[in-house]
């Protein structure tokens, strides 16, 4: 058997076209949704991701701007910038790319973003609203993108056993909360595994849907997957490959070649979850803009 490939790139393109239409209507009505991204430091991966986010925003017709701050930026300097963006009526979404340099307290920064402009869904108020099942919350982009990708590829998680491998605040935990919601895209039975889980394979073999987000290549191999299961690979790991021009390849957390022989469906890396994350950032920004204006969509 060979798994169906779920193309996040293709689904994301469709969503971005839908958003483009919605943004055109809003713009005609005098509301241009605005996204402000903040990049601190010069991590090549972060530079790439933030660049892709601003490009996608501009393509969809959003107002977009990027602030790039040096690696040695002080916490106070970053908090000042966030305060300015919180007060700017042209900005409806604020994204601070993670990780941040060591001298900056991430928790403080996430608390400083106006929850109404928190298009990452990382502010503790939004985390709490997600955990309590508020249907109107701005949910973190990666897990929201995964739900969207499952629904649009015909894999409704309702009633299914979903095993999430990874317990990060960016993916694992919000993924579990979204899947538990009593709402479309939710109603799953959820298990969360992590580095201290005993016999990971025994648990993952019970998964109808397996979401892997640990940031380590080869975490899930074919023997850990139930035949026919849906496998969502969230990892984006750079591995050295001197045979390609840029000197590295991007691989996921799943042993794709082996697992695709067993799984019913699988997401590729690249071209899977990554593009969905970006599409959901745009969707969250449009939603935030509509809510900040007041009134419905
Ligand atoms: N605040 N920080 C904040 N929000 C986020 O949602 C993120 N994340 C993660 C890192 N830090 C963040 C992202 O945006 C990871 N991430 C992300 C987004 C997009 C892609 C990868 C990671 C992506 O589109 N990757 C391409 C491959 C790109 C390449 O060639 O390296 C893909 O097709 O998967």
């Amino acid at each position: 058997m060979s798994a169906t490939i779920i193309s996040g790139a293709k689904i994301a393109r469709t969503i971005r076209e839908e958003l483009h239409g919605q943004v055109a209507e809003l713009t005609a009505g005098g509301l241009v949704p605005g996204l402000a991204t903040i990049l601190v430091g010069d991590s090549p991966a972060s530079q790439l991701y933030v660049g892709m986010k601003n490009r996608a925003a501009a393509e969809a017709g959003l107002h977009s701007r990027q602030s790039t701050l040096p690696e040695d930026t002080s916490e106070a300097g970053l908090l000042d910038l966030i305060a300015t963006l919180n007060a700017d009526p042209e900005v409806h979404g604020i994204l601070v790319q993670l990780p941040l340099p060591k001298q900056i307290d991430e928790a403080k920064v996430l608390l400083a973003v106006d929850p109404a402009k928190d298009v990452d869904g990382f502010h503790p108020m939004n985390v709490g609203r997600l955990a309590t099942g508020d249907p109107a919350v701005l949910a973190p982009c990666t897990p929201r993108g995964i739900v969207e990708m499952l629904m649009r590829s015909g894999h409704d998680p309702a009633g299914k056993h979903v095993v999430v491998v990874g317990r990060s605040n960016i993916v694992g935990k919000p993924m579990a909360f979204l899947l538990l919601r009593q709402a479309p895209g939710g109603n799953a039975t959820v298990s969360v595994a992590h580095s201290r889980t005993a016999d990971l394979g025994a648990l993952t073999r019970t998964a109808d849907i397996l979401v892997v987000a640990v940031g380590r290549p080869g975490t899930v191999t074919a023997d850990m997957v139930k035949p026919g299961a849906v496998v969502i690979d969230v990892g984006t790991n750079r591995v050295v490959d001197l045979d390609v021009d840029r000197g590295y390849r991007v691989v996921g957390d799943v042993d794709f070649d082996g697992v695709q022989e067993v799984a019913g469906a699988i997401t590729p890396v690249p071209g899977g979850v990554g593009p969905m994350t970006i599409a959901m950032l745009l969707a969250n920004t449009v939603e935030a803009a509509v809510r900040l204006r007041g009134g419905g969509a």
Side-chain angles (χ1 to χ4, degrees):
M1 194 172 65
S2 194
T4 306
I5 308 293
I6 303 174
S7 171
K10 218 163 162 181
I11 298 170
R13 204 174 310 128
T14 304
I15 293 170
R16 283 163 60 172
E17 277 162 20
E18 291 167 7
L19 287 169
H20 190 271
Q22 198 187 343
V23 170
E25 276 176 35
L26 290 171
T27 301
L31 175 65
V32 186
L35 171 68
T37 60
I38 303 175
L39 171 64
V40 186
D42 36 36
S43 146
S46 294
Q47 280 176 348
L48 176 71
Y49 302 152
V50 173
M52 291 195 296
K53 289 172 183 188
N54 284 289
R55 217 170 315 119
E59 259 177 50
L62 282 78
H63 165 78
S64 118
R65 63 171 91 144
Q66 177 177 335
S67 304
T68 308
L69 304 179
E71 182 78 30
D72 62 357
T73 296
S74 68
E75 187 178 279
L78 177 55
L79 292 174
D80 271 353
L81 172 60
I82 292 171
T84 305
L85 296 171
N86 281 343
D88 187 334
E90 285 185 5
V91 172
H92 307 100
I94 300 170
L95 175 136
V96 184
Q97 188 71 14
L98 302 178
L100 290 167
K102 304 148 300 299
Q103 74 276 15
I104 298 176
D105 180 348
E106 183 182 298
K108 247 191 212 166
V109 169
L110 299 182
L111 260 177
V113 176
D114 179 347
K117 297 187 177 186
D118 173 33
V119 286
D120 259 330
F122 293 164
H123 188 290
M125 175 181 284
N126 289 326
V127 177
R129 288 176 64 188
L130 176 66
T132 52
D134 184 340
V137 72
L138 293 169
C141 301
T142 300
R144 189 180 166 198
I146 291 168
V147 168
E148 196 70 33
M149 185 159 51
L150 287 170
M151 294 300 278
R152 290 186 186 233
S153 61
H155 302 286
D156 189 337
K160 300 281 168 57
H161 183 206
V162 184
V163 175
V164 179
V165 187
R167 56 177 155 180
S168 70
N169 291 333
I170 298 192
V171 186
K173 278 187 270 187
M175 182 80 266
F177 284 129
L178 273 176
L179 291 165
L180 286 170
R181 287 207 293 198
Q182 287 183 293
N187 292 308
T189 302
V190 183
S191 302
V192 183
H194 47 77
S195 52
R196 297 291 295 270
T197 297
D199 202 349
L200 179 62
L203 181 66
T204 58
R205 275 190 293 276
T206 67
D208 303 307
I209 299 172
L210 183 56
V211 178
V212 192
V214 295
R216 188 169 56 97
T219 299
V220 167
T221 47
D223 58 301
M224 298 167 74
V225 176
K226 176 164 77 177
V230 176
V231 179
I232 307 292
D233 190 350
V234 187
T236 31
N237 308 294
R238 293 181 168 202
V239 297
V240 173
D241 183 349
L242 299 174
D243 290 341
V244 295
D245 276 352
R246 53 185 189 177
Y248 66 90
R249 270 181 308 127
V250 177
V251 302
D253 293 344
V254 173
D255 170 26
F256 184 89
D257 291 342
V259 169
Q260 61 107 24
E261 298 287 338
V262 180
I266 186 169
T267 62
V269 178
V273 173
M276 293 299 297
T277 297
I278 291 173
M280 291 302 110
L281 173 64
L282 307 183
N284 276 351
T285 305
V286 172
E287 267 180 46
V290 169
R291 292 222 195 96
L292 281 160
R293 180 192 59 183

